[in-house]
Amino acid sequence: MAENSGISWTRHTWNPWMGCTKVSPACDGCYAEALMDKRYGKVQWGNAPRVRTGAHTWNDPFRWQRQAERDGDRPFVFCASLADIFDNQVDPQWRSDAFEVMRKTPRLVYLLLTKRPQNIIKLASAAGGLPSNAAIGTTIEDQKRADINVPALIAAKHIVRPEFAFVSCEPLLGPINLREMILDIEWVITGGETDQGGHLARPTHPEWFHDLRRQCVVSGAAFHHKQNGEWMPWRPLDGNPGNKPIQHVMADGSEYYPGNYGSSLQSMIKVGKKVSGRELRGVTYDAFPKVAPL
Ligand code: SF4
C-alpha cells in the first residue's frame, strides 16, 4: 500500500504543518523531531511555533485525488506524520484549512492519528466538523495509555462519525488488553520501536504483538503488523556473533531483574530493523479496514 510513503499502512503522508509537543512515552523517540528539528532545523520541538508547510505540499492531495479518480480507488493518506492533527497549540485556522482540503478530495481516506484523542470532538467541531472521508485513530503504547486514549477515541467516534476508528500500537512498550473496547475499533496496527537520533529503541516482547493479533481474530478487527523494530527474540544457544546488545523482557510487562527466570521471560537481541523485518513467526500481517467505494 505504501507508494509515496515508507509506511506500510498508508499510501501517502500529508503534513499541513510541522512541529509538536511530547505528551507520552511513545513520543520519547519521536521520528518527526529527530528529522525536522534535530537534523534539518526546520522547526523547534515543544512549546514553540508550529510551521505551516508550503503551497506545493498543500496541492499534493489534489494531485492524489485526480490519480485516484483515474484509478478508481480510495488511497489512504496519513495526516500528519510530522505533527499531531489534534494538537491544540496550532493555529485553529490551519486545521480548518486542512479539513477543507480533505472535503474537496473525497476519494482520499485521511488517517487522523493522534496522541490527543481527548481533543477530537472540540477541535473537529471548531474546524467545521470532521470530514466524512476521515478516519480517527490514537496511539496506545501500553495498557495505561490504552485505558485513557481508547475510551476518548470511542466517545469521539460516536459524535464525529469517522470512516472508521483505529489504534496504532507503535511503539508497543507493554502488553495491552483492549477488552470490550476492541468492538468499536476497526483496525489495529502494531510495531516495534526504532532508533531515532540519540533515542535507543526499547524491545517489544513478541507475545504483546501476538496477543493483539488474537484479540483482532476474535473481534473481527483488521490487523496490520508494520515492523518488529530493532530487536528480535534470542536464545543463548543461538550464540551472539558481533556481541550485539541483549535485553530481557517479561511478557506481563513487569520489570526484569537478574535471577527472574519466569516462564514469561524473553531475551531479545538488537539486530536492526532490516534484519528483524515485519514477519511474526514467518507470517506477514497486512490487513486494512474496508472502506466504501465512492
Ligand atoms: S505526538 Fe507524534 S509528532 Fe508529536 S511529539 Fe509525539 S510522536 Fe512526535
Side-chain angles (χ1 to χ4, degrees):
M1 186 116 186
E3 200 171 273
N4 301 319
S5 163
I7 303 170
S8 63
W9 45 264
T10 188
R11 192 176 309 170
H12 307 291
T13 56
W14 184 51
N15 286 287
W17 65 85
M18 298 179 288
C20 195
T21 302
K22 297 187 177 193
V23 290
S24 81
C27 299
D28 290 349
C30 175
Y31 149 88
E33 179 196 30
L35 196 69
M36 290 299 157
D37 181 341
K38 300 279 185 295
R39 189 153 160 202
Y40 294 129
K42 293 207 168 188
V43 61
Q44 191 187 331
W45 230 251
N47 298 319
R50 311 315 191 208
V51 174
R52 184 164 165 142
T53 50
H56 184 79
T57 299
W58 280 74
N59 276 329
D60 280 342
F62 297 98
R63 286 196 299 108
W64 301 333
Q65 164 77 16
R66 289 192 293 274
Q67 185 64 47
E69 282 166 7
R70 288 193 288 274
D71 296 345
D73 64 359
R74 301 203 63 201
F76 284 5
V77 180
F78 171 27
C79 175
S81 63
L82 302 174
D84 187 326
I85 188 73
F86 291 110
D87 175 8
N88 56 2
Q89 289 180 268
V90 77
D91 183 341
Q93 186 60 47
W94 296 5
R95 190 166 25 252
S96 295
D97 294 346
F99 279 17
E100 198 51 34
V101 169
M102 294 178 199
R103 287 188 199 96
K104 287 178 175 161
T105 51
R107 276 209 163 265
L108 309 181
V109 177
Y110 289 89
L111 304 174
L112 308 188
L113 176 60
T114 181
K115 292 186 176 66
R116 300 163 168 86
Q118 299 78 7
N119 293 348
I120 295 176
I121 296 172
K122 188 171 161 206
L123 297 186
S125 163
L130 192 81
S132 59
N133 54 329
I136 56 171
T138 190
T139 302
I140 49 171
E141 63 269 45
D142 56 21
Q143 191 67 51
K144 182 175 173 190
R145 258 48 62 163
D147 289 341
I148 295 170
N149 286 355
V150 181
L153 183 80
I154 293 171
K157 179 185 180 186
H158 292 298
I159 303 279
V160 302
R161 303 273 167 197
E163 275 273 1
F164 56 81
F166 65 106
V167 292
S168 169
C169 309
E170 184 192 12
L172 185 55
L173 302 177
I176 294 177
N177 184 352
L178 285 164
R179 305 185 299 276
E180 72 283 356
M181 296 186 289
I182 200 170
L183 298 175
D184 266 296
I185 302 295
E186 279 89 359
W187 195 24
V188 174
I189 298 164
T190 55
E193 194 168 40
T194 54
D195 290 348
Q196 298 295 345
H199 175 80
L200 297 181
R202 294 156 281 191
T204 302
H205 197 300
E207 187 52 32
W208 302 343
F209 294 137
H210 285 291
D211 191 33
L212 281 162
R213 179 181 59 75
R214 285 190 288 265
Q215 292 175 54
C216 290
V217 169
V218 173
S219 76
F223 177 73
H224 188 111
H225 182 60
K226 178 184 161 202
Q227 63 184 11
N228 290 318
E230 307 282 351
W231 300 79
M232 65 182 284
W234 177 82
R235 297 167 305 168
L237 42 86
D238 293 338
N240 184 2
N243 278 329
K244 294 184 172 27
I246 305 281
Q247 280 192 28
H248 310 285
V249 190
M250 307 301 289
D252 64 3
S254 61
E255 202 164 326
Y256 167 78
Y257 54 87
N260 182 357
Y261 298 118
S263 59
S264 73
L265 171 75
Q266 175 67 61
S267 299
M268 306 289 292
I269 186 166
K270 193 170 188 185
V271 294
K273 63 181 177 184
K274 285 211 174 72
V275 173
S276 78
R278 58 180 298 230
E279 291 183 354
L280 287 175
R281 293 192 193 125
V283 179
T284 302
Y285 293 93
D286 233 351
F288 291 88
K290 290 203 173 24
V291 291
L294 279 187

